[in-house]
């Protein structure tokens, strides 16, 4: 569990600058602007792109925060005997692992934009420090989830079953 919490904490620490610093730095006709994740969501919503704004918000804020909460919850619950249904905990763990595969979608979008929009004189898009921080946060939360031994969910249940049968 120490490894789970260590990776989790490092992931959380990288998630903070991922939300405070710019994700994209855009230069158009000599004018530079940058956007944080939430700032980009607000800007997309102001332009009427509600669907895209929702997807970005969901993928960049809701899912990562949900992963942090789910991993911490699982790690705390299995530390001692618990009365939770193991199937529910296992489903939560599987969901966290499945979502981990899709967590890098923001970084891929930034990479594609950077590759596509390079008109040097007219416009350029460069990744900000938040893109690197977000990618590292995703990697560390994936490592945290991978370090979690799902057998612990069942082990603690067995202890409760044995104690209740005595």
């Amino acid at each position: 569990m120490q490894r789970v919490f260590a990776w989790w904490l490092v992931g959380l620490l990288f998630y903070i600058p991922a939300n405070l610093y710019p994700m994209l730095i855009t230069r158009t006709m000599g004018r530079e602007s940058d956007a944080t994740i939430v700032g980009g969501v607000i800007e997309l919503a102001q332009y009427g792109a509600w669907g895209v704004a929702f997807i970005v918000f969901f993928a960049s804020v809701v899912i990562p925060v949900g992963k942090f909460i789910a991993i911490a919850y699982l790690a705390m619950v299995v530390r001692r005997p618990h009365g939770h249904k193991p199937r529910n905990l296992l489903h939560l763990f599987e969901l966290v692992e499945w979502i981990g595969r899709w967590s890098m979608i923001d970084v891929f979008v930034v990479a594609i934009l950077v590759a596509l929009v390079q008109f040097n004189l007219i416009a350029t898009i460069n990744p900000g420090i938040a893109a690197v921080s977000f990618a590292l946060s995703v990697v560390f939360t994936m490592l945290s989830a991978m370090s979690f031994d799902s057998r612990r969910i069942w082990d603690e249940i067995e202890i409760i079953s044995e104690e209740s049968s005595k």
Side-chain angles (χ1 to χ4, degrees):
M1 284 299 119
Q2 289 176 345
R3 209 174 300 135
V4 172
F5 279 116
W7 289 125
W8 180 87
L9 181 61
V10 174
L12 184 64
L13 290 175
F14 274 104
Y15 188 69
I16 294 167
N19 283 287
L20 295 177
Y21 292 104
M23 181 67 85
L24 286 174
I25 301 167
T26 309
R27 290 178 192 87
T28 53
M29 304 297 277
R31 200 178 98 231
E32 185 175 304
S33 65
D34 52 29
T36 61
I37 293 172
V38 175
V41 169
I42 292 169
E43 198 170 323
L44 285 166
Q46 287 173 343
Y47 285 120
W50 291 99
V52 177
F54 174 77
I55 290 170
V56 171
F57 181 75
F58 195 75
S60 303
V61 178
V62 174
I63 288 176
V65 169
K67 277 176 55 178
F68 284 119
I69 292 169
I71 292 169
Y73 175 73
L74 286 169
M76 294 299 289
V77 164
V78 301
R79 290 178 72 179
R80 52 186 131 356
H82 58 82
H84 299 286
K85 292 184 178 180
R87 282 202 200 288
N88 293 344
L89 296 175
L90 191 59
H91 288 310
L92 179 61
F93 174 71
E94 289 171 347
L95 179 66
V96 166
E97 280 204 326
W98 182 79
I99 286 175
R101 298 179 190 127
W102 296 97
S103 298
M104 292 292 269
I105 198 163
D106 295 12
V107 178
F108 291 137
V109 169
V110 169
I112 289 169
L113 281 173
V114 168
L116 291 177
V117 184
Q118 291 299 327
F119 299 121
N120 291 337
L121 295 175
I122 301 170
T124 59
I125 295 179
N126 293 315
I129 190 69
V132 174
S133 296
F134 190 84
L136 289 171
S137 176
V138 168
V139 168
F140 289 129
T141 55
M142 287 173 69
L143 288 170
S144 177
M146 289 170 49
S147 297
F148 182 81
D149 185 6
S150 61
R151 293 176 297 184
R152 296 273 314 254
I153 293 170
W154 300 97
D155 292 346
E156 296 300 330
I157 288 297
E158 290 172 8
I159 291 170
I160 290 175
S161 302
E162 290 171 9
E163 289 175 359
S164 64
S165 65
K166 289 182 183 180

